[in-house]
Amino acid sequence: TERSSRGRGDRKRKIHLNFTDLGLGYRTKEELIFRYCSGPCFDAETNYDKILNNLTHNKKLDKETPSRTCCRPIAFDDDISFLDDSLEYHTLKKHSAKKCACV
Amino acid sequence: PALAKENNCLNAAKACNLNDTCKKYRSAYISPCTSRVSMAEVCNKRKCHKALRQFFDKVPPKHSYGMLFCSCPLGDQLACSERRRQTIVPACSYEDKEKPNCLALQASCKTNYICRSRLADFFTNCQPEPRSLSGCLKENYADCLLSYSGLIGTVMTPNYLRSPKISVSPFCDCSSSGNSKEECDRFTEFFTDNACLRNAIQAFGNGTDVSVWQPMPPV
């Protein structure tokens, strides 16, 4: 099952959410588009990642499980502001992905 | 919640944050307008004003006016009217420690190139005319709203007053006007009790004057 899909696996996706869905504790009825990175990264793996994979498999690393190539944001969307139910403004920074890559 | 009343101002804010341009310039003014710079100052007013001017210069009227001129049900409905009042972040862009006399404020506006020209545009384009159907001498609501929104980010920055009917004013009053009391009252009434401006705001809010809505370059 560890077959890499064709092309670069990492992808940017978006979802339309209420601010309350973010679970950051804000009370507001405003909404936002949240963009995130998702997808496999096997294509981008280096010898380093292959070695880690083998070492983990052969139980040479004790209990450590170092992370391998991940699909992550390498740039973030513009800040977003909103007014909460007590008429206070808030601004979120680095909350949503602008560019994704396997890192 | 079943049959919750539509909040046009909330809907406009939602629409703004779903649009990349509006979202970007909205947070670009809210940030400086809400960042405390020292114990004495709640914000850097100059930066706040500049970012507000950018917002109205760069964001299409559909979104910027949508928030500024959203219509709220008659009487003061907190969730809607207060949200509309908060659009310009009045704690920073509007209120001040002392309320100046309006004629003194007008004089200080006239020393600034941007403020002087925008105030002149406002007086030209929102001139009331009781005999015209629109209530305006120049029957062009779009020009009136453009000139009004152009004042935001100058020392003449106007905002909605907490009043049952639509009434706006810069942050000033006519106390201690001396001999110029009448002149000062005339000046403030052009903001607070101007049928042309009120009709223009209402027409946009109700979507009744769609025909004149051409995106216009800022002055």
Side-chain angles (χ1 to χ4, degrees):
Chain A
T1 56
E2 284 220 357
R3 276 263 126 153
S4 89
S5 56
R6 212 167 50 81
R8 292 167 63 232
D10 64 294
R11 271 203 204 94
K12 194 169 74 177
R13 330 227 161 159
K14 63 177 182 180
I15 178 173
H16 180 174
L17 295 173
N18 298 317
F19 273 93
T20 47
D21 296 328
L22 304 181
L24 298 176
Y26 297 112
R27 289 168 57 95
T28 179
K29 290 173 193 71
E30 289 203 32
E31 300 172 358
L32 77 161
I33 303 282
F34 173 67
R35 295 189 177 90
Y36 61 100
C37 303
S38 179
C41 280
F42 310 122
D43 283 2
E45 288 199 335
T46 56
N47 280 331
Y48 171 81
D49 298 291
K50 286 172 192 153
I51 293 166
L52 279 186
N53 188 30
N54 298 337
L55 294 183
T56 314
H57 216 243
N58 302 334
K59 302 201 161 61
K60 302 247 183 181
L61 288 186
D62 240 6
K63 280 163 195 145
E64 298 237 66
T65 50
S67 33
R68 292 164 54 197
T69 310
C70 292
C71 180
R72 292 277 305 163
I74 52 163
F76 289 98
D77 256 349
D78 293 316
D79 299 349
I80 192 166
S81 297
F82 61 94
L83 190 64
D84 72 16
D85 291 349
S86 12
L87 299 169
E88 244 179 83
Y89 276 111
H90 302 276
T91 301
L92 293 185
K93 294 171 190 295
K94 296 192 175 179
H95 65 290
S96 171
K98 183 180 187 176
K99 233 178 174 178
C100 301
C102 289
V103 290
Chain B
L3 287 170
K5 277 225 181 84
E6 281 289 299
N7 180 337
N8 287 326
C9 297
L10 174 63
N11 290 344
K14 287 182 186 175
C16 176
N17 274 356
L18 299 182
N19 173 281
D20 281 336
T21 306
C22 192
K23 177 190 80 169
K24 176 176 161 185
Y25 287 104
R26 184 188 186 207
S27 95
Y29 79 78
I30 288 173
S31 269
C33 297
T34 55
S35 308
R36 184 173 274 281
V37 286
S38 70
M39 289 295 281
E41 304 288 325
V42 289
C43 64
N44 183 329
K45 196 170 190 157
R46 197 180 51 81
K47 281 191 182 170
C48 170
H49 275 173
K50 190 175 178 191
L52 271 168
R53 292 200 303 272
Q54 282 231 313
F55 176 80
F56 287 104
D57 283 352
K58 301 272 170 77
V59 176
K62 179 187 160 200
H63 287 295
S64 58
Y65 290 8
M67 284 196 289
L68 184 62
F69 302 126
C70 46
S71 65
C72 292
L74 223 116
D76 212 23
Q77 195 214 16
L78 194 81
C80 189
S81 312
E82 267 308 305
R83 179 175 267 281
R84 183 172 61 190
R85 249 177 45 77
Q86 291 298 328
T87 305
I88 62 164
V89 199
C92 176
S93 71
Y94 185 68
E95 286 152 28
D96 226 322
K97 284 163 206 130
E98 280 161 38
K99 210 175 221 186
N101 177 276
C102 291
L103 294 179
L105 192 66
Q106 185 187 18
S108 108
C109 171
K110 284 184 172 166
T111 65
N112 174 285
Y113 166 73
I114 298 178
C115 193
R116 185 177 54 219
S117 74
R118 292 192 175 189
L119 187 62
D121 281 345
F122 173 63
F123 276 106
T124 307
N125 292 317
C126 297
Q127 184 71 54
E129 172 50 66
R131 283 168 301 180
S132 90
L133 196 62
S134 64
C136 302
L137 183 65
K138 294 188 149 199
E139 307 206 43
N140 187 332
Y141 287 157
D143 280 354
C144 174
L145 295 188
L146 183 69
S147 320
Y148 172 85
S149 63
L151 288 175
I152 294 170
T154 69
V155 294
M156 274 296 158
T157 298
N159 199 17
Y160 293 92
L161 300 173
R162 285 199 181 90
S163 133
K165 62 176 186 174
I166 290 177
S167 182
V168 297
S169 170
F171 193 74
C172 64
D173 63 25
C174 286
S175 61
S176 62
S177 292
N179 290 335
S180 317
K181 180 85 171 76
E182 260 181 54
E183 191 193 347
C184 186
D185 287 340
R186 268 202 310 278
F187 179 85
T188 50
E189 277 163 22
F190 198 94
F191 286 89
T192 58
D193 195 16
N194 180 334
C196 171
L197 176 61
R198 187 176 299 130
N199 291 349
I201 292 175
Q202 274 166 350
F204 182 88
N206 302 332
T208 47
D209 196 42
V210 235
S211 59
V212 299
W213 292 107
Q214 309 290 337
M216 306 262 275
V219 215

